[in-house]
Amino acid sequence: MSTLKNTTQVNGDSSSSMVRATIVQASTVYNDTPKTIEKAEKLIAEAASNGSELVVFPEGFIGGYPRGFRFGIAVGVHNEEGRDEFRKYHASAIHVPGPEVDKLAELARKNNVYLVMGAIEKDGYTLYCTALFFSSEGRFLGKHRKVMPTSLERCIWGFGDGSTIPVYDTPIGKLGAAICWENRMPLYRTALYGKGVELYCAPTADGTKEWQSSMMHIAIEGGCFVLSACQFCLRKDFPKDADHLFTDYDVQHDETIVSQGGSVIISPLGKVLAGPNFESEGLITADLDLGDIARAKLYFDVVGHYSKPDIFNLTVNEHPKKPVTFVSKAVKAEDDSESREK
C-alpha cells in the first residue's frame, strides 16, 4: 500500500492546532462485506500507526460503488439476471445501526481515530448511499444519506432528506460530508457552511481530472479543509459474472484501471496538501493547520461577512420525510371493559 504524505510545519505559532488526516484510496471487496471490513481494519491501523487522527474512506466502500452495473435496467425493460444482481448487492449492504457499524466503531476506538466511512445502507429493501461518522472513543456519531443520487444511481438508491445533514463539533474540528455530486449542489454546500464545517469530507466515485477543480473551489469557497476520497479499482476487483458497461475503458484485461482514484487533500487557502493519486491504491496523508481556516476567512466568509443576508437566504428543512405515518389513539383494555359494564 503506497503512501503519499505532505507534512506542514507550524512556525512557532502556539495558537495553531495541527491535525493529521488520511484518505484511504482503495477498492471494495465486492459481494463480500466481511472481507471489505477486514481490509478497512488493516488500512485504518496503518493510518493510525502513522499518527493520523482522522481517516476518510471513499463513497460506498462498505457494500461497493456499483460502477458499470446495469441491473438489467432499460426504459420499459427488466430481466431476471438484473434482479438477482440487485439481490446480491442488497445482501452486501449494511443496517445502520447494526453489527458492522458496531465493528467500525470498535476499530475507531482501537486505533484512536475519527472515522468517516462510505457505506451502502439498507433500510428494509431500500438502499442508501451513506457516510458514517465515528469518534475516536468508539461512538457512532451518526450518518449522512446522499440526498440526490446521480443518473442511474436513482434506480437503486433511495433519496436522503434534511434530517441527515450533520456537522459534528469534535476536538479535531467541525466534521461534515457531501457525497460525490452533492458537491455540485450550491445550496447543499451552503447548508454545511452554515453549520460551520471545517473538515469537509467528500467521499466520491468521480475520479476525473475535472473533479479536482470542484474540490479546489469548495476549499476556497468554504474556507475549510477538503478531503476527497475516491476508490482505485481494477477490472479484476469487480465480480466476473456481473453485467457491466465500462464504456470509457478497455476492460479486456484484469489489470485495466476502472476507477482511477484522484483522492486529494486541499487547504482553505487553496493549497494542495497531498495527492491527487491517479496511479494506485494507497494512503494520502497531510497535516492540517487549523489556523488556516481563520487566515482564509479574513477575506472571504461565505456565510459571514460575505453573505449578504438582506438579499440572499437559505432555509433548510431538517424534518425526516417518512412515506407512512401512523396516528392512533391508545385505549386501555380496562377502560373498554368498564364502558361495557355501564
Side-chain angles (χ1 to χ4, degrees), residues 258-275:
V258 174
S259 178
Q260 61 268 53
S263 301
V264 67
I265 301 175
I266 304 174
S267 83
L269 298 170
K271 180 180 179 182
V272 176
L273 301 179

Side-chain angles (χ1 to χ4, degrees), residues 306-322:
Y306 225 97
S307 61
K308 290 298 290 176
D310 54 320
I311 304 174
F312 308 111
N313 182 266
L314 171 66
T315 300
V316 180
N317 183 352
E318 293 190 313
H319 294 293
K321 297 296 183 183
K322 297 183 179 180

Side-chain angles (χ1 to χ4, degrees), residues 128-277:
Y128 295 91
C129 182
T130 302
L132 308 175
F133 299 84
F134 301 88
S135 77
S136 58
E137 293 83 18
R139 288 189 300 114
F140 172 51
L141 298 175
K143 66 186 179 184
H144 163 58
R145 283 177 172 174
K146 191 174 186 178
V147 299
M148 177 54 70
T150 300
S151 188
L152 198 63
E153 293 173 0
R154 297 173 198 171
C155 294
I156 56 170
W157 294 340
F159 295 67
D161 59 33
S163 67
T164 65
I165 308 178
V167 170
Y168 298 101
D169 193 355
T170 78
I172 64 169
K174 294 179 180 178
L175 184 64
I179 302 173
C180 206
W181 279 15
E182 286 184 324
N183 289 278
R184 293 186 173 191
M185 300 171 69
L187 300 185
Y188 182 81
R189 298 199 307 267
T190 302
L192 292 182
Y193 300 152
K195 292 187 174 185
V197 66
E198 296 170 333
L199 302 171
Y200 183 112
C201 301
T204 187
D206 190 334
T208 64
K209 298 292 198 306
E210 293 78 11
W211 179 255
Q212 303 297 313
S213 298
S214 292
M215 297 299 96
M216 179 67 71
H217 172 78
I218 291 168
I220 295 172
E221 176 184 71
C224 52
F225 289 93
V226 168
L227 302 98
S228 178
C230 187
Q231 292 196 31
F232 183 90
C233 304
L234 303 177
R235 176 62 185 88
K236 66 182 181 182
D237 294 320
F238 288 83
K240 294 287 186 184
D241 56 349
D243 178 22
H244 292 96
L245 178 63
F246 296 128
T247 57
D248 294 335
Y249 305 94
D250 174 11
V251 293
Q252 301 303 314
H253 305 289
D254 280 351
E255 299 299 320
T256 299
I257 296 173
V258 174
S259 178
Q260 61 268 53
S263 301
V264 67
I265 301 175
I266 304 174
S267 83
L269 298 170
K271 180 180 179 182
V272 176
L273 301 179
N277 175 8

Side-chain angles (χ1 to χ4, degrees), residues 291-302:
D292 281 348
I293 298 171
R295 295 182 184 105
K297 291 188 176 180
L298 166 64
Y299 297 113
F300 186 86
D301 186 351
V302 67

